[in-house]
Amino acid sequence: MGEEAVALAKAVSYRSAGTVEFLVDDKEQHYFLEMNTRLQVEHPVTEMVSGIDLVEAMLRVASGERLWISQREVVASGWAIESRVYAEDPLRRFLPSIGTLSRYAPPGQAATVSTAATNADVDDATEYGGLVRLDDGVSEGSEITLHYDPMLSKLITYGKDREHARQLMVAALDRYVVRGVRHNQNFLRSLMVNERFARGELTTSFIADEYPDGYHGHVLSSSQRRDMLAAVGALQLVARAQVHSISDADTAGGAACGRRG
């Protein structure tokens, strides 16, 4: 596909960044779909696996410069996954949501890798590795309106292979905090932990097949439900202990005052 994409660009003397799209069937035969004479939203995936800043390359070519790298020097390494975080409600057929971002805390590199390593039962997060990238144009306090595309950000994770990148994406979505508008974060996470997705068994009808009646939220597994109930129980015990501690302190203070009187 790469060779055919280059041949197509040469055939029409195209000199800029572009995106050639193909469809692949179950026999791994590919078919040309279209060419967009621009970068696509998913271009960070290519940048992560190739190490090339495509926007910089596009601007340099547009200014008349020659590329500093040849085609044979372009080598893909590792795996990257991109999630588009939208202000859309997947529980209401992805209806756009408007409002003010009352809380906006993107996932950090170190914390995400640490979470992914813990989930994978790896003791040393530095050994686990991986990269987290966020391309966004909003911040806490931003207004999300009907006048523009509701995409909040592009969240990209990079790992040594697909499973590594997938685990990092799950951790990144878990640490991503968005408040004030409805969003598709839970839907994205549901896709990432879907067994069929994890196995890489994807088709153009994947979402329709997995959610024939629409998306109704993440369904907890028995172990997740057990862990959640245990966490709630622990929080209740802590809250009760704090109440007793405050009550005991008030009683002791009153007794001391009484003795002084």
Side-chain angles (χ1 to χ4, degrees), residues 115-156:
T115 298
T118 299
N119 293 341
D121 292 325
V122 176
D123 295 329
D124 188 354
T126 57
E127 179 182 333
Y128 186 79
L131 295 172
V132 179
R133 168 177 169 176
L134 185 80
D135 292 5
D136 62 4
V138 298
S139 59
E140 198 164 296
S142 291
E143 289 287 337
I144 309 302
T145 73
L146 290 174
H147 305 298
Y148 302 98
D149 186 279
M151 185 168 67
L152 302 178
S153 70
K154 297 182 294 186
L155 177 63
I156 307 98

Side-chain angles (χ1 to χ4, degrees), residues 251-261:
T251 301
C257 289
R259 285 196 296 272
R260 284 198 297 271

Side-chain angles (χ1 to χ4, degrees), residues 152-200:
L152 302 178
S153 70
K154 297 182 294 186
L155 177 63
I156 307 98
T157 54
Y158 172 83
K160 60 180 181 293
D161 52 33
R162 185 178 186 275
E163 179 59 17
H164 188 197
R166 188 190 68 83
Q167 291 177 0
L168 286 165
M169 182 59 72
V170 172
L173 290 168
D174 282 345
R175 301 197 67 87
Y176 205 156
V177 180
V178 179
R179 298 287 185 271
V181 296
R182 299 284 186 179
H183 53 77
N184 66 338
Q185 196 172 322
N186 286 340
F187 175 69
L188 294 171
R189 191 189 187 283
S190 293
L191 293 180
M192 288 298 125
V193 299
N194 179 283
E195 292 183 0
R196 182 178 159 194
F197 181 90
R199 294 193 299 267

